[in-house]
Amino acid sequence: MQFLFGEILLAEGLIDGEKLRRGLDEQARSGEMLGAVLVKLGYLSENDVLKVLSIQLGLPFLSSVP
């Protein structure tokens, strides 16, 4: 079973429901990927996006940032 990106963000405690809603609204307007929108809004780091994508895809996460 594959989870939605936003569901993982909430489950991991990376953002709250209000920030997710704002991100989804902006995504609908801009057509950008949700992760990119949330980084642009300052809600997530690029590293956060990579971590969530690794969870979503079932791949190990290897951070290059100490």
Side-chain angles (χ1 to χ4, degrees):
M1 174 189 233
Q2 191 170 1
F3 293 96
L4 295 175
F5 190 83
E7 292 173 337
I8 299 168
L9 290 170
L10 294 172
E12 293 291 312
L14 292 169
I15 62 171
D16 59 30
E18 179 62 23
K19 288 179 179 177
L20 177 58
R21 186 191 60 75
R22 288 181 193 157
L24 289 169
D25 288 347
E26 178 60 29
Q27 178 193 31
R29 278 191 289 279
S30 70
E32 293 179 87
M33 300 291 288
L34 180 57
V37 168
L38 294 170
V39 169
K40 187 165 61 172
L41 291 172
Y43 297 157
L44 295 178
S45 69
E46 289 181 4
N47 211 44
D48 291 332
V49 172
L50 293 174
K51 178 182 175 188
V52 172
L53 286 173
S54 74
I55 292 168
Q56 187 178 35
L57 297 172
L59 299 171
F61 176 69
L62 302 173
S63 174
S64 62
V65 180

